[in-house]
Amino acid sequence: MITAEPSVGVPGTDQLRRVLDAVLLIGSDLDLTATLQRITETAALLVGATQGTLRVLDQSKTVLVEVVTIGAADHAEGEVGELPSFSSILGTLVRNSNPIRIPDPTGRAGMPGGTAKPSLLAVPILIRGEVLGSLSLREKNGATAFADLDEEIVVALAAGAAVAIENARLHARVAELAQLEDRDRIARDLHDTAIQRLFGVGLSLQGSVRLSLDPTVSARLESAVDEVDITIREIRTAIFELHPPQLPGRSARQAAIAICVEAARTLGFEPAVHFDGPVDAAVGDGIAHHLLAVQREALSNVAKHASARTIDLTLETHGGTVSLTIEDDGVGLGDHDGRGDGLANMETRARELGGEFSIANRPGGGTVFRWSVPSS
């Protein structure tokens, strides 16, 4: 059982040193649980409490993700994974964000035959006005109630706990983003390098089949072409799996690639796809519906009118703008801009979102579609 001298009106040197040590611990390399354990122990020691409990809520404030206890175990407000009761101390702190002090009504807490409801001091763990959890102390030694100074000390330590929790969450988010960026890089390299090279190998092998006069060699070459096609499909599947879905059903990247795969059936080849910037984060549901419809229409136009042999599609986001650019090496626009119903629809979609659409001849031959809208 943890004991300490009763706190007085002004904190002593030893008390200040222990508070400082607990706060400095936040910057050490100890894990979050160890840090919260030390903060709870320090709080109990400095205010002379025999029991201490620190609880941490998840970001939705509906589930307990961390529970640290010292002294007699306190199960009144749930364990990890449980829903906090609305009527519990933690529930009250979440609603009101104010410390709670309840004295021992009999003055006999902790003594033989004493009350089962010892004195209580509970403070919210707050950061920027948001309640992350609670720090509760029970049964003050040598006194019927916790003092003002006790409350000040525990509030200070709870602020340290809030910083520790926020730091842990930020580190987890940074690690998650780093992993996503690494996935994006790998997927981009696979699509822009590996798949394009395999396409080149496949086309070369197909040309060799036509030149070969030996049926056995031709059969082997055709088998090799089939294996290349299978490998391309497997790599594309791996690319899809590298991007966690963020739109309903799939991400913007996945959807853009899938549309190009579909278009390859009428084009006779698959467009080269390039991504630049945090596309999935910038393309929300409201933009995605229009963006993907424009992509389909643009590729359909190329298939019908351009007689193109290559297409480069770039989906990028920079400076608060999402842009789709589609370039082909076909016959170009000639003496007209080709604005049929399909192109008019593209322009309308851009205008409705506060964006722009253009179509023009590409230097050296072909056509350039550009469609851009604000990302938010």
Side-chain angles (χ1 to χ4, degrees), residues 149-171:
L149 178 59
D150 297 329
E151 182 178 314
E152 291 175 11
I153 291 172
V154 177
V155 167
L157 290 170
V163 173
I165 294 166
E166 184 75 354
N167 283 348
R169 289 179 177 176
L170 288 174
H171 282 301

Side-chain angles (χ1 to χ4, degrees), residues 199-223:
F199 268 124
V201 171
L203 290 173
S204 178
L205 290 173
Q206 286 177 331
S208 298
V209 170
R210 291 191 293 270
L211 295 175
S212 175
L213 300 177
D214 187 331
T216 302
V217 173
S218 295
R220 289 182 178 178
L221 288 172
E222 289 175 351
S223 177

Side-chain angles (χ1 to χ4, degrees), residues 5-11 15 43-44 46-49 99-104 119-123 137-156:
E5 294 298 323
S7 57
V8 292
V10 179
Q15 284 180 307
L46 291 179
V47 302
I100 298 171
R101 269 194 281 167
I102 302 175
D104 168 31
S119 53
L120 167 72
L121 168 60
V123 304
L137 290 307
R138 290 180 182 272
E139 195 170 315
K140 181 175 176 64
N141 285 322
T144 59
F146 290 96
D148 291 344
L149 178 59
D150 297 329
E151 182 178 314
E152 291 175 11
I153 291 172
V154 177
V155 167

Side-chain angles (χ1 to χ4, degrees), residues 51 141 164 211 237 241 269 277 314:
Q51 302 173 28
N141 285 322
L211 295 175
T237 298
E241 291 175 350
F269 61 90
T314 302

Side-chain angles (χ1 to χ4, degrees), residues 33-359:
T33 300
T35 300
L36 298 181
Q37 181 77 31
R38 182 68 63 83
I39 288 173
T40 307
E41 291 173 352
T42 301
L45 183 64
L46 291 179
V47 302
T50 61
Q51 302 173 28
T53 306
L54 189 151
R55 295 176 174 85
V56 181
L57 290 163
D58 71 345
Q59 292 180 311
S60 69
K61 297 183 179 60
T62 59
V63 177
L64 291 169
V65 293
E66 190 95 34
V67 177
V68 173
T69 62
I70 62 168
D74 178 8
H75 302 288
E77 296 183 38
E79 297 298 319
V80 171
E82 293 187 5
L83 294 173
S85 169
F86 183 77
S87 61
S88 66
I89 292 169
L90 176 55
T92 301
L93 292 173
V94 168
R95 293 195 305 276
N96 299 327
S97 303
N98 295 315
I100 298 171
R101 269 194 281 167
I102 302 175
D104 168 31
T106 66
R108 296 181 57 79
M111 297 175 61
T115 178
K117 295 183 177 180
S119 53
L120 167 72
L121 168 60
V123 304
I125 297 174
L126 285 167
I127 194 161
R128 295 186 296 276
E130 178 187 0
V131 177
L132 306 182
S134 66
L135 177 55
S136 302
L137 290 307
R138 290 180 182 272
E139 195 170 315
K140 181 175 176 64
N141 285 322
T144 59
F146 290 96
D148 291 344
L149 178 59
D150 297 329
E151 182 178 314
E152 291 175 11
I153 291 172
V154 177
V155 167
L157 290 170
V163 173
I165 294 166
E166 184 75 354
N167 283 348
R169 289 179 177 176
L170 288 174
H171 282 301
R173 182 59 178 157
V174 168
E176 178 186 348
L177 290 174
Q179 184 181 46
L180 289 176
E181 288 177 1
D182 199 42
R183 286 182 167 192
D184 285 348
R185 179 187 59 77
I186 294 170
R188 185 169 59 249
D189 289 346
L190 285 172
H191 187 274
D192 294 351
T193 304
I195 286 184
Q196 302 308 320
R197 286 178 179 172
L198 285 172
F199 268 124
V201 171
L203 290 173
S204 178
L205 290 173
Q206 286 177 331
S208 298
V209 170
R210 291 191 293 270
L211 295 175
S212 175
L213 300 177
D214 187 331
T216 302
V217 173
S218 295
R220 289 182 178 178
L221 288 172
E222 289 175 351
S223 177
V225 170
D226 291 340
E227 288 296 325
V228 170
D229 286 341
I230 292 171
T231 301
I232 289 172
R233 287 197 296 272
E234 290 175 347
I235 293 176
R236 186 174 293 116
T237 298
I239 291 173
F240 289 173
E241 291 175 350
L242 282 169
H243 294 301
Q246 300 201 7
L247 297 175
R250 57 181 150 186
S251 72
R253 290 173 180 263
Q254 290 174 324
I257 293 172
I259 291 172
C260 287
V261 172
E262 295 169 5
R265 299 170 186 170
T266 53
L267 289 166
F269 61 90
E270 186 170 333
V273 183
H274 313 277
F275 298 105
D276 190 6
V279 171
D280 284 337
V283 180
D285 293 351
I287 296 175
H289 170 72
H290 296 284
L291 172 68
L292 300 176
V294 166
Q295 180 185 341
R296 285 193 180 92
E297 184 63 34
L299 293 177
S300 176
N301 268 274
V302 174
K304 292 176 182 176
H305 308 297
S307 300
R309 293 171 296 176
T310 64
I311 297 175
D312 282 288
L313 182 149
T314 302
L315 179 54
E316 59 187 335
T317 176
H318 292 291
T321 299
V322 174
S323 300
L324 174 68
T325 303
I326 299 176
E327 301 183 48
D328 67 70
D329 64 351
V331 298
L333 295 175
D335 296 328
H336 59 87
D337 68 0
R339 288 184 185 268
D341 290 342
L343 298 181
N345 288 339
M346 294 184 203
E347 188 170 26
T348 299
R349 290 179 184 276
R351 190 167 57 248
E352 287 178 355
L353 296 175
E356 299 176 346
F357 169 72
S358 66
I359 179 172

